[in-house]
Amino acid sequence: MDNIRSIAIPPLTDDLVRVLIDAETIQRRVAELAQQINKDYADITEPLILVGVLKGSFIYLADLSRKLTVPHVIDFIAVSSYGKGTVSSGNVRLLMDTRENLEHHHVLIVEDILDSGYTLDYLVRYFKARGTKSVQTTVLLEKPDRHVVPVDLAYVGFTIPDVWVVGYGLDYAEKYRTLPYIAELKPQV
Ligand code: PRP
């Protein structure tokens, strides 16, 4: 425990305004979500398939999965949204498919953030069309002000305002993904 406490938390750089959600709060919330998932899937007969959406979900998926006691399998999928930026286009393209055969399995899609909702809406429909038993979603963060398409979210970590955030998997131009906290990026960056 002492070793864990002595790990230095990286300080904010000039690009960042403030820490929005600190590392301890994230860990506590992830543990709560895992507990709920363990309860909800307690009776499944086949392992739950956790599908992390690359790249942003990799840290959330790693922390969440290590707190799960229900049998589970880890998989990944990669998509890209053409024209992403200030306005999301809704044009989602599959870049890399899952390795597992999802048929007859319960699937939990693991995302770092829900913004417009286009990515999750596409993935939920895509997985449902593959003969899965059920498809649910978990997002660490959601920005209600940015929703364009409605998506059913089963497990939400935090609801945040419409600011650009980085850390805990989320990047700005591939930077800041490994920060242990969620920080707000300066608007001018
Ligand atoms: C982010 C995030 C989600 C998506 C959410 O991915 O990880 O997948 O955007 O946005 P939406 O709700 O508007 O569809 P991004 O395209 O930044 O790629 P990355 O995960 O590889 O960083």
Side-chain angles (χ1 to χ4, degrees), residues 53-57 79-81 84 88 92 111-120 123 146 164 169-171 174 177:
V53 185
L54 293 171
K55 299 177 187 173
S57 71
V79 291
S80 82
S81 251
K84 232 177 136 47
S88 219
V92 180
E111 263 283 34
D112 52 345
I113 190 163
L114 182 117
D115 202 337
S116 67
Y118 283 124
T119 307
L120 268 182
L123 288 174
R146 305 260 310 171
W164 191 301
L170 293 117
D171 74 310
E174 294 303 323
R177 284 199 200 271

Side-chain angles (χ1 to χ4, degrees), residues 92-167:
V92 180
R93 199 159 54 91
L94 187 67
L95 297 181
M96 187 197 86
D97 209 344
T98 56
R99 282 204 209 169
E100 300 295 323
N101 178 4
L102 307 180
E103 213 179 334
H104 308 311
H105 279 82
H106 295 282
V107 170
L108 179 60
I109 308 173
V110 181
E111 263 283 34
D112 52 345
I113 190 163
L114 182 117
D115 202 337
S116 67
Y118 283 124
T119 307
L120 268 182
D121 176 59
Y122 169 89
L123 288 174
V124 168
R125 283 187 285 112
Y126 179 63
F127 290 139
K128 280 188 174 164
R130 285 171 65 177
T132 48
K133 265 191 188 156
S134 72
V135 180
Q136 293 289 3
T137 59
T138 177
V139 296
L140 183 76
L141 307 173
E142 69 145 339
K143 284 182 183 174
D145 297 346
R146 305 260 310 171
H147 291 186
V148 179
V149 282
V151 178
D152 275 340
L153 298 173
Y155 310 97
V156 178
F158 304 93
T159 295
I160 60 165
D162 184 13
V163 292
W164 191 301
V165 285
V166 294

Side-chain angles (χ1 to χ4, degrees), residues 40-104:
D40 294 350
Y41 290 92
D43 297 330
I44 56 171
T45 49
E46 299 287 330
L48 171 66
I49 304 193
L50 298 179
V51 180
V53 185
L54 293 171
K55 299 177 187 173
S57 71
F58 78 111
I59 292 184
Y60 176 40
L61 178 72
D63 282 350
L64 182 73
S65 59
R66 285 179 292 176
K67 292 181 171 74
L68 291 183
T69 51
V70 286
H72 60 274
V73 169
I74 307 288
D75 208 336
F76 290 98
I77 197 163
V79 291
S80 82
S81 251
Y82 177 76
K84 232 177 136 47
T86 47
V87 181
S88 219
S89 71
N91 188 353
V92 180
R93 199 159 54 91
L94 187 67
L95 297 181
M96 187 197 86
D97 209 344
T98 56
R99 282 204 209 169
E100 300 295 323
N101 178 4
L102 307 180
E103 213 179 334
H104 308 311

Side-chain angles (χ1 to χ4, degrees), residues 2-53:
D2 283 348
N3 283 346
I4 293 173
R5 285 219 185 90
S6 66
I7 292 172
I9 301 282
L12 290 179
T13 69
D14 287 348
D15 289 347
L16 308 177
V17 184
R18 63 182 168 132
V19 174
L20 203 62
I21 310 167
D22 64 59
E24 209 182 310
T25 306
I26 295 173
Q27 292 306 323
R28 222 176 17 242
R29 185 72 186 124
V30 172
E32 286 171 2
L33 295 176
Q35 208 177 7
Q36 188 60 49
I37 294 167
N38 286 331
K39 261 195 214 155
D40 294 350
Y41 290 92
D43 297 330
I44 56 171
T45 49
E46 299 287 330
L48 171 66
I49 304 193
L50 298 179
V51 180
V53 185

